[in-house]
Amino acid sequence: MPKQGEIICHSRPHFEAAFSTIRERKPTIMPIIRTPPDAAAYAGALYLKSAASCAQTSPTDMELVVLDCGDDPSLVLGALRVGWSIFAFSGSPMVHDKITQLITKSGARLVQINKGPVLDLQAAANPIKCCHNWLDRLDRGQT
């Protein structure tokens, strides 16, 4: 059985490559599409949400995108205000519990990341080709 895997998207073309490749290939195990850790600190949660939203063709696409807030609770708080609904957070246990409560109370959810192979599209010259090749290897269990 293939591992779930994760695709890290830094920009709208990366989100477009990930979504289009997944739509085309229809993998049996859906990879997690996520932002880089702490990207909301330098790019902004609203920019990342807009980049992912503009790349989608279906309202359910956005339900696949995880905002990786690293260990910074302020990134979670800001992202909740602009409508993010899926988060990864790696703060201390005490802070993690409080952030989990806030996320749950707002109707959003927290997910675990870094549990399988990761494709980071940051340096990809051709992100669509990278996604296809990575999904091929993932399907064959070679990543």
Side-chain angles (χ1 to χ4, degrees):
M1 175 176 208
K3 297 177 185 171
Q4 182 171 20
E6 302 169 19
I7 302 172
I8 299 176
C9 299
H10 298 258
S11 63
R12 181 177 172 178
H14 293 167
F15 286 110
E16 288 171 350
F19 288 143
S20 67
T21 303
I22 288 168
R23 276 192 301 274
E24 181 182 321
R25 298 190 49 120
K26 297 177 178 54
T28 54
I29 304 293
M30 186 64 65
I32 292 172
I33 300 169
R34 69 178 176 96
T35 67
D38 299 319
Y42 57 85
L46 187 57
Y47 164 76
L48 294 166
K49 185 170 177 31
S50 295
S53 293
C54 288
Q56 71 181 352
T57 59
S58 163
T60 58
D61 286 346
M62 195 60 191
E63 295 172 12
L64 304 172
V65 183
V66 176
L67 182 68
D68 183 352
C69 295
D71 62 359
D72 188 343
S74 67
L75 298 179
V76 174
L77 298 174
L80 282 169
R81 285 192 287 273
V82 297
W84 274 95
S85 60
I86 307 174
F87 297 89
F89 180 74
S90 59
S92 68
M94 186 171 82
V95 175
H96 194 277
D97 290 344
K98 290 182 187 280
I99 288 296
T100 301
Q101 289 172 5
L102 285 170
I103 288 171
T104 303
K105 186 177 179 180
S106 71
R109 65 188 171 109
L110 191 63
V111 298
Q112 294 291 317
I113 57 171
N114 299 317
K115 299 290 183 184
V118 175
L119 170 64
D120 189 338
L121 294 174
Q122 183 174 13
N126 185 336
I128 291 175
K129 184 176 180 180
C130 282
C131 288
H132 275 281
N133 291 340
W134 184 77
L135 282 172
D136 280 342
R137 290 191 309 276
L138 190 66
D139 286 342
R140 292 191 307 258
Q142 297 177 344
T143 52

